[in-house]
Each structure stands twice: as C-alpha cells, then as structure tokens.
Amino acid sequence: MGYLSVFLLIFLSWNFFILGTHQLQSSQTQVLLQLRKQLEYPIQLEIWKDHTLDFCYLSSSTQVNITCQDNFVTGIKIMGDKTVKDSNFDGFAIPTVTLSGAFSMDSFVTTLARLTSLRVLSLVSLGIWGPLPDKIHRLSSLEYLDLSSNFLFGSVPPKICTMVKLQALSLDGNYFNGTVPDCLDSLSNLTVLSLGNNRLNGPFPASIQRIATLSDLDFSGNEISGKLPDLSRLTSLHSLDMSKNKLDSKLPALPKGVAMAFLSNNSFVGEIPQQYSRLVQLQHLDLSFNFLTGTPPEALFSLPNISYLNLASNTLSGSLSNHIHCSSELSFVDISNNKLTGGLPSCLSTALDKRVVNSDGNCLSIGFQHQHPDSYCMAVPVKKKESRSKDMGILVAVIGGIFVATLLLVFGCFFVCKRCCSRGISEQHLLHKTVQENSTTGLSSDLLTNARFIPQVAKLGTEGVPVCRVFSLEELREATNNFDRSTFMGDGSNGKLYKGRLENGTQVAIRCLPLSKKYTIRNLKLRLDLIARLRHTHLVCLLGHGLDTGGRDDSSVYKVFLIYEYVPNGNFRSHLSENGPEKALKWSERLSVLIGVAKALHFLHTGVIPGFFNNRLKTNNILLNEHGMAKLSDYGLSIISEENDKHGVGLLTLLILAKISSPKL
C-alpha cells in the first residue's frame, strides 16, 4: 500500500509538471487581454473575458485561433465581422464600420510587439484603421502577416522590408494610397505578396523582379502606372494579378511556370508576345479591356493546360486560321469586341457543351452572332508613330502659343491690375459706406438687387447643390467632435480650418474666421448672403455659416464659421512637384486646372454686380476634387475680413509656376 501511495504521488507530480510547462506565461496573457481591449471587445473574443483561461488550450474555430509553443504565443488569427467597406473613407473613424476614434494603430502595434515569439498574425475585417506605422518591423519573428479587409491607409512602411522572415504578406482590401517601397527583394523568403484593392499609385516596384521565391503576386484594383517589367525571372510564380490598374506598356515576359495571369483593365499596348504561346503551365489568361493590336498567336488556343482565355475589348485584328487546334481543357474563350475578320476556327464555331465562346462585336463572316460590317474593322490605326508625331507637333504648337500669349499678357498686366484694383476698391466702398449704424440694412438695396443678376451659364454643374443655411454652434461642435485636434486641417490668414461630418453623413470643411471688426448680426448676415449667391462649378460650394457672439447680448459678432463642401484630393500646390505629397500632374492636367480657375475668376469678376476681385488666388487655395476638377476656395472673404490680399498671385504667375515645375512631357 505504501508503494502504491508513493507511485500515485510521483505520477501526479509528473503530470502537474507537464501541464505547468505548457501554461501560458502571465505576461503573454496580459498582452492578449490588452489586445482585446484595444480591438474594443469584438464578439469573436467574448470567451477571452475569463482571465483564468489558458489561451493555448482554447478550441480553435474559423473566427479565432491561438497557437503557442514553450509558453509563448506564436500565432493569432482573428476573423471579424466588419466587412462593410465605405468608398468615402478618408482617414476618420466611421461609427459601426471602423473601430472608434479612440483607436490608435501605433499603440496597437506597440502592444503586439510584446509578443516576441509571434510568427503568424492574421487580423481580418476588424475595422482597424490608421496608417501602418514603421514600428511594425518590431514583429521581427513574423512569417505570416495578414491585415486584409481593414481601413489602413497611407504608404506601405519601408521598414517592412527588414522583416526578413516574412513568407506571406497580405494587405489587400485596405485604403493604402501611397507608393510601394522598392526594397521588397530583401524579403528573400516571401512567397505570397497580396496588395490588391487599395489605392496604391506610382510605378511597379522593380525590386519585386528579384524575389525568386514569389509564387503569388496580387496588385489588382490599384492605380499602379507606367511599365510592367520583365517578370520571367520569377521562376516560382504561379499566380499573377495586375488587373484594374493604369499600366500602359507592352505586355511583359512571363515565367514559364505561371498558371494564372490576370492583366485585364489596363492600357497595355502592342501585340500579344509569342512567348505566351510557350507557357505550357498556363491555365487562365485574361488580357481583356486593353489596347492590344495584331493577330492573337494561334498557339494560345492549344496550350495543353489552358482552360480560360479572355482577349475581349482590345483592337486585335486579322483573321484566325481555320486549322487552329483548341486544347481539350479549353472551356471558355472570349474574343468579342475586337476587329477580327474572316471565319471562326472550327474548334470555336462548333457548339460544344463544355466550351463557351463569345465572338460578338467583330467583323467575322458568321451569321448567327452580332457582327460589325467589314468597313468597321478596316479602320484599324496602322500609322501610330505618325499619329504620335502629329500629336507631339500639336502639343509643341500649343505650348508655343501659350508663351506668346504670356508675353502679350505681360504688357497688358499693368493696365488690368489698375482696372481690377479700382473695381475692387469700389466693391469694398459699397460695403464700407453702409456700415454706419444709421443704415437700417447694413448693405445697399441696389447691391443686393444687382447681385441677383447671375448668368444662367454659371448655374451649370450646380444643380442639386444644397441651399445655404445657418448652423448652430452645437451642430458644428458635434460635427468636429468639439473641434478635436484630429479634425484640425490647418491655420492661415483666413483662420483655422477643421474637417467635420454632419449628422446626415456629409463631409464638410469648416473655416473659423475671427473678425477684427465688429458687425451687427443683421449686417454680417447680409454680407454672408452675398457670398452664398456665388455658385459655380469651379467654386467650392458654401453650404452655410454659423455665428459666435461670444455669449453677449449686444448683437455683435466676434467670430464666424463658414461651412464648405469638402474637396478630397488636396490643393494644386501639392500636385506640382514630383516630391510633393500627392501625385504630380501632367502639363495637360495642370492646364486644365488653370482653365477651371480662369472660369471661376471670370464668373467672380463679371457674373455678379459688383464683381469680386480680391479672391486670394494662390496654389494652396485651388483644390482638386476626386475627378481632378479645380475648385477655388476662400473667395469673396474680403467683404468680411476687410483685408486686401497682399500675397495672392495672378493667373499668369500660376501658369508660369505650373510650367516651370511640370514633369517632362
């Protein structure tokens, strides 16, 4: 009996020792609980509320999985339910869609870095938002990183290139809007690189060509532009997706082992490379919606493993041989909306249960599908070089004409300035002489009457614009979270500028303009009413105003809030330099911006009586909307601030500035 007791004691002690060696360290548990708090207690982590749990022994599910080794957390996988994407997301928290405004991506990564043995991190659809900080490289043991389907924005941090153990990097389905660091070849173990469905721009990173281990590459749904380089050195590449970008080079050479190639919805030019006919592993090829020319290589249809071939919506021409042999694996072919002539090969014209063929929109001599007349397909452009030379000649002539006009404008600028100054003074004078308290309105009735004579052409593009209204201070505080620092956009001679969101979800820019001169409420409202009448396609729309009397009852206003539509794409200045925060505009785009500004100024000068001349014309005050359309801001404020703009420039100066800083044509 004594021996049995000793045996049981030894057995229980040994089991306790074994279990103890697998018990998660308390510091690791605290980190997991802190992560749950920072993620704002998602329902998927409801079970984590019991602090006595050993997280390493929790049963795995499709939504949550924790893996451990030697008392340390080595893997975290959490699948959230915040799958709704908002196309209007602009870097601010959105209730019920993202985590709250209190969330800090920087602090979150700092907490994650305390898990020093973490090799797998997957946090998908959790509403995480903010820029991905450089300190992500502190997770130096990571082999698998998946932060897809969240609300991350900004550039992909260059420090990510130091995470040399990474084998898979997935950041797709976010809002990254910068360039991709050109140092990814330092990730010598990387097999999966997925950055699809973001807003990435700039050229394709050349360093990716040197990642020999890469098997899956996805940059789809971005704004990558320029040339797609030779990818034939990516000998391990299995799947390539560059669809829905702005690539405009010839098609690149592809590695022999590639099985899936998605290159649709770009601006690729030239002929389909004959090299594609030797890609014996190719199963799926999509080249649709480009500007490809020539006749498709016949061997594409007979590749041994090809099952999907889409060449639709290009300018392919010529005729396909009737002797083309189609692979037995080929189940889908789309050659529609090209300029192909002749007949269809027998393997494409024969109705097969297992093969879908679409050949509409060509000039094929078949009677059972919609085809164009032969003349349509004879109009294929064959003198592309001559056309380009002609276009270049026209462009040079236009630029030369602009500079000749510039010289003429120099001689006339003094006369124009004198005339504008005198009329601008009359604008101020009309208002100044009515400020006296013996005036019952604060503005002359003639001024208000004449201000209504706005040409009908000025109303183009302003249909559906909301009526200018008065906002209470409570509404403005709510829209800006009590003018929180996170909503502050800048400060200048026109006062502070905040970004806000109204109760109906409309994004606005709110200008807080302190008044150096006292106005009665009645007088100021009449002045604001005059500005509110200025509606034009190329003017930032004034949605309303709010007045701050400083809590006094003397009917005087000390501060005015101007609520404008929010224009999301930055100002003209930020688009002038290649080194600027935004993508530099081409010369033609800059000229289009200046034409829009000229239209706005013409309206301000002549569209109302009296005209508005002191409009603070600066590159910082020319904003660009999501379509690249120019909108002039801070116009007409001279009738409130009573200041002439001493720092504004003329259109001539803007034109010269745009030309000097323009990229090469």
Side-chain angles (χ1 to χ4, degrees), residues 468-501:
C468 188
R469 72 177 183 88
V470 177
F471 289 83
S472 66
L473 292 181
E474 288 72 19
E475 287 181 284
L476 300 182
R477 290 192 182 99
E478 183 177 349
T480 59
N481 194 18
N482 201 22
F483 296 99
D484 187 77
R485 288 182 61 186
S486 63
T487 65
F488 182 68
M489 297 176 65
D491 196 357
S493 59
N494 289 331
K496 296 180 179 180
L497 187 65
Y498 297 87
K499 183 178 180 181
R501 185 183 296 274

Side-chain angles (χ1 to χ4, degrees), residues 286-593:
D286 190 347
L287 304 177
S288 59
F289 294 95
N290 283 291
F291 299 96
L292 301 175
T293 56
T295 304
E298 296 180 0
L300 277 181
F301 298 87
S302 57
L303 288 171
N305 292 294
I306 193 75
S307 62
Y308 181 100
L309 180 60
N310 193 344
L311 308 177
S313 299
N314 284 282
T315 52
L316 300 172
S317 59
S319 58
L320 300 175
S321 170
N322 191 46
H323 303 293
I324 287 179
H325 170 69
C326 294
S327 169
S328 59
E329 299 293 327
L330 190 60
S331 59
F332 180 91
V333 179
D334 193 345
I335 56 174
S336 62
N337 298 314
N338 283 286
K339 297 191 176 183
L340 298 171
T341 57
L344 271 179
S346 57
C347 68
L348 297 181
S349 58
T350 304
L352 297 175
D353 292 339
K354 296 183 179 180
R355 182 172 298 155
V356 176
V357 178
N358 185 3
S359 60
D360 293 354
N362 286 284
C363 301
L364 299 171
S365 55
I366 51 179
F368 57 88
Q369 289 175 319
H370 176 71
Q371 300 292 322
H372 292 288
D374 291 342
S375 58
Y376 174 83
C377 295
M378 295 299 124
V380 177
V382 295
K383 296 183 179 181
K384 191 171 183 180
K385 291 184 179 179
E386 294 180 13
S387 175
R388 285 184 176 179
S389 299
K390 183 178 179 181
D391 291 343
M392 184 59 69
I394 293 174
L395 184 59
V396 170
V398 170
I399 294 174
I402 290 173
F403 279 100
V404 170
T406 299
L407 293 175
L408 295 175
L409 285 171
V410 168
F411 288 104
C413 68
F414 293 105
F415 299 100
V416 173
C417 287
K418 287 182 179 180
R419 184 180 179 186
C420 287
C421 287
S422 62
R423 292 180 66 180
I425 291 171
S426 68
E427 168 200 325
Q428 292 288 333
H429 181 66
L430 278 169
L431 290 165
H432 284 182
K433 68 181 182 180
T434 59
V435 172
Q436 306 297 329
E437 290 303 321
N438 58 3
S439 171
T440 58
T441 64
L443 288 173
S444 69
S445 59
D446 288 341
L447 178 60
L448 290 176
T449 303
N450 291 334
R452 294 191 178 96
F453 288 105
I454 300 175
Q456 289 298 317
V457 69
K459 296 181 181 179
L460 295 177
T462 62
E463 300 296 334
V465 173
V467 177
C468 188
R469 72 177 183 88
V470 177
F471 289 83
S472 66
L473 292 181
E474 288 72 19
E475 287 181 284
L476 300 182
R477 290 192 182 99
E478 183 177 349
T480 59
N481 194 18
N482 201 22
F483 296 99
D484 187 77
R485 288 182 61 186
S486 63
T487 65
F488 182 68
M489 297 176 65
D491 196 357
S493 59
N494 289 331
K496 296 180 179 180
L497 187 65
Y498 297 87
K499 183 178 180 181
R501 185 183 296 274
L502 301 181
E503 187 178 3
N504 62 5
T506 303
Q507 296 181 46
V508 293
I510 302 174
R511 172 77 68 187
C512 176
L513 183 63
L515 300 178
S516 57
K517 186 176 181 63
K518 292 184 179 181
Y519 294 103
T520 64
I521 294 178
R522 182 181 182 85
N523 184 276
L524 185 58
K525 283 186 175 181
L526 287 169
R527 292 168 183 265
L528 292 171
D529 181 67
L530 187 58
I531 298 178
R533 299 176 190 274
L534 304 176
R535 297 296 178 100
H536 190 273
T537 307
H538 294 285
L539 293 178
V540 177
C541 181
L542 179 65
L543 303 178
H545 64 266
L547 304 179
D548 184 2
T549 61
R552 302 184 183 184
D553 298 325
D554 57 359
S555 299
S556 296
V557 180
Y558 293 86
K559 190 183 297 183
V560 62
F561 295 92
L562 300 176
I563 296 85
Y564 294 98
E565 64 171 316
Y566 177 69
V567 184
N569 207 19
N571 59 49
F572 187 38
R573 185 184 186 88
S574 65
H575 290 272
L576 286 178
S577 172
E578 293 285 358
N579 299 321
E582 304 287 350
K583 180 181 178 182
L585 297 177
K586 300 176 182 177
W587 169 244
S588 59
E589 294 171 323
R590 299 174 187 218
L591 190 58
S592 176
V593 168

Side-chain angles (χ1 to χ4, degrees), residues 185-231:
D185 54 334
S186 64
L187 305 178
S188 56
N189 297 306
L190 196 66
T191 59
V192 177
L193 179 58
S194 183
L195 301 176
N197 296 311
N198 281 283
R199 298 171 179 175
L200 294 167
N201 54 59
F204 181 83
S207 59
I208 291 179
Q209 297 173 267
R210 300 186 288 274
I211 310 177
T213 55
L214 202 60
S215 63
D216 293 88
L217 177 60
D218 184 357
F219 271 76
S220 61
N222 283 288
E223 298 180 10
I224 304 298
S225 58
K227 179 182 179 181
L228 188 60
D230 187 336
L231 300 177

